[in-house]
């Protein structure tokens, strides 16, 4: 009889089992009030998937993204990222996971205002101990990849919203993440620019195999994904493959 060894590459990149999140709020009148925001969320995401998460405002999308990004801890349930139980990691290990496995893109771009596009992208590399020359070279390559090569010396306020989001995407790519988490990345952009930004995510997914989990309100943005997960009042109410 042959024994079957688990194959680590067959493990989903994200495995979420009965994840719950309860926020405790201090209320002057009632003492501490608990508010449950996620209920028994189960979600497996394989490497190379492009998943859209939809749901009304307040349905728990950002809360789930923060948990997936190891920026917050669940109240109960389990989360394995690339086969590692996130709850078992030390602060240092978590920081390392965030820096080496994950890239974040937000609705508000979150760029440093007084820095050029190039320095915004290069800064995480400098923090990681990469030399200044190498950081700048790599940042320039990434800006090139997102179509912003000519704008490296511009500051955020000299760039359009779509260009700022390209800088933010370039920055999310500096450490070669396996996973990009994008929370309403086109929420501040017009329709045409949103389509261009989604084109960037689509290319990163198709050509580089980067797994993408993206929150959006809009059906035409979700249509770029190959899988749709719907949240309602903190529960997954729908999860299916979409697209051609
Ligand atoms: P979405 O991103 O789908 O709009 P969120 O995950 O931001 O929803 O929020 C879900 C619910 O959790 C909302 O009712 C919100 O008020 C609440 N919430 C979010 N963050 C916190 C927090 N830090 N403390 C308390 N409640 C929170
Ligand atoms: Mg949100």
């Amino acid at each position: 009889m042959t024994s079957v060894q688990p194959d680590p590459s067959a493990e989903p990149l994200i495995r979420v089992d009965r994840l719950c999140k309860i926020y405790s709020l201090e209320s002057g009148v009632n003492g501490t009030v608990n508010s449950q925001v996620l209920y028994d969320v189960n979600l497996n995401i394989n490497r190379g998937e492009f998943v859209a998460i939809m749901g009304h405002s307040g349905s728990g999308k950002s809360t789930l993204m923060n948990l997936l990004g190891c920026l917050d801890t669940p109240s109960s349930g389990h989360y394995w990222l690339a086969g590692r139980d996130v709850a078992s990691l030390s602060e240092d290990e978590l920081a390392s996971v965030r820096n080496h496995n994950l890239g974040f893109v937000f609705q508000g771009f979150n760029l440093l205002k007084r820095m050029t596009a190039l320095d915004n992208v290069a800064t995480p590399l400098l923090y990681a101990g990469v030399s200044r020359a190498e950081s700048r070279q790599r940042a320039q390559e990434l800006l090139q990849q997102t179509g912003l090569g000519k704008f490296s010396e511009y500051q955020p306020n000299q760039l359009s919203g779509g260009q700022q989001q390209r800088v933010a995407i370039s920055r999310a790519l500096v450490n070669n993440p396996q996973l990009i988490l994008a929370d309403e990345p086109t929420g501040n952009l017009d329709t045409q620019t949103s389509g261009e930004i989604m084109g960037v995510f689509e290319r990163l997914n198709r050509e580089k195999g980067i797994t993408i989990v993206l929150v959006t309100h809009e059906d035409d943005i979700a249509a770029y994904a190959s899988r749709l997960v719907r949240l309602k009042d903190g529960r997954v109410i729908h999860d299916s493959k979409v697209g051609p």
Side-chain angles (χ1 to χ4, degrees), residues 145-182:
Q145 274 179 33
T146 57
L148 265 196
K150 291 190 186 129
F151 295 87
S152 53
E153 294 306 322
Y154 285 56
Q155 293 193 351
N157 65 2
Q158 300 169 314
L159 297 170
S160 70
Q163 290 170 332
Q164 290 182 61
Q165 197 56 300
R166 286 170 193 265
V167 176
I169 295 171
S170 306
R171 181 183 56 188
L173 291 170
V174 284
N175 291 313
N176 284 320
Q178 309 169 52
L179 173 63
I180 288 187
L181 298 168

Side-chain angles (χ1 to χ4, degrees), residues 23 25 35 37 55-64 183-184:
Y23 289 114
L25 298 166
S35 153
V37 174
H56 293 299
S57 181
S59 58
K61 304 181 299 294
S62 294
T63 300
L64 178 59
D183 195 347
E184 305 207 35

Side-chain angles (χ1 to χ4, degrees), residues 14 17 22 34-35 60 92 113-114 118 134 141 143-144 157 162 167 182 193 195 213 220-221 224 227:
I14 285 173
D17 181 39
I22 299 169
N34 288 332
S35 153
D92 282 354
K113 290 192 176 60
R114 293 180 198 287
L118 188 80
E134 200 183 326
E141 285 165 13
L143 286 170
Q144 213 90 42
N157 65 2
V167 176
T193 310
V213 181
D220 51 349
I221 296 298
Y224 285 85
R227 178 174 165 194

Side-chain angles (χ1 to χ4, degrees), residues 103-123:
F104 296 94
V105 180
F106 303 96
Q107 177 171 1
F109 319 134
N110 295 15
L111 300 175
L112 294 164
K113 290 192 176 60
R114 293 180 198 287
M115 278 192 186
T116 63
L118 188 80
D119 287 334
N120 264 285
V121 178
T123 295

Side-chain angles (χ1 to χ4, degrees), residues 64-81:
L64 178 59
M65 291 294 267
N66 288 342
L67 293 174
L68 296 180
C70 308
L71 298 167
D72 197 2
T73 51
S75 306
S76 63
H78 279 283
Y79 173 27
W80 290 265
L81 176 59

Side-chain angles (χ1 to χ4, degrees), residues 2 11 40 58 90 95 99 101 108 132 146 211 213 217 228 241 244:
T2 54
E11 177 75 14
D40 291 322
S90 68
N99 291 337
N101 296 22
R132 187 172 154 78
T146 57
T211 308
V213 181
H217 269 103
L228 176 62
K241 299 259 180 226

